[in-house]
Amino acid sequence: DIIQLKGGSPANFLDVGSEANEKQVQKAFELLNSDEKVLAILVNIFGGIMRCDVIANGIINAAQEIGITKPLVVRLQGTNVEEAKKLIEGCGFRIILAEDLEDAAEKAVVVEGIVK
């Protein structure tokens, strides 16, 4: 696992599937946010089926609705990725964007070390 290769320890793994809607994404964040073992949340979206803007809106809505307390590192690649990045950058929450999975893993491990 790339998290372990970068010096971290994954506490949870969650796959929302390629047909997830914003409510399902929000529910996923509720589960991760309530897990005491999770110190940071890494979102890795790669593919052409799942729209990145839907994931971005789900992340933003979850942050607003449930008050996400964990650091978020988000890597998006796929359909509507540029729109998704703009949504995240303009949302007002401290969400760390990553360019690729390796970059995301490195950033997640760094923020995990800070919050420990």
Side-chain angles (χ1 to χ4, degrees), residues 1-111:
D1 176 66
I2 193 159
I3 297 293
Q4 287 179 318
L5 288 173
K6 298 298 177 183
S9 178
N12 199 329
F13 176 83
L14 182 63
D15 184 350
V16 294
S18 62
E19 296 182 14
N21 61 39
E22 289 179 30
K23 280 290 186 197
Q24 290 167 316
V25 173
Q26 181 174 329
K27 184 63 178 173
F29 277 99
E30 289 174 9
L31 292 170
L32 293 170
N33 196 52
S34 66
D35 187 336
E36 293 178 8
K37 295 178 184 173
V38 173
L39 300 177
I41 300 171
L42 188 157
V43 178
N44 179 45
I45 302 300
F46 178 75
I49 297 171
M50 188 68 235
R51 289 179 31 206
C52 292
D53 58 317
V54 170
I55 295 294
N57 278 318
I59 293 168
I60 294 164
N61 289 340
Q64 292 171 335
E65 294 293 320
I66 66 169
I68 291 179
T69 58
K70 317 280 182 174
L72 289 173
V73 178
V74 178
R75 182 272 181 135
L76 300 166
Q77 184 62 48
T79 305
N80 296 344
V81 68
E82 292 306 320
E83 180 182 342
K85 286 180 179 180
K86 288 178 186 172
L87 288 168
I88 289 172
E89 288 169 348
C91 74
F93 292 100
R94 294 173 60 188
I95 299 173
I96 302 164
L97 285 170
E99 291 301 313
D100 56 35
L101 183 54
E102 185 171 354
D103 182 41
E106 289 172 358
K107 289 176 177 177
V109 169
V110 167
V111 296

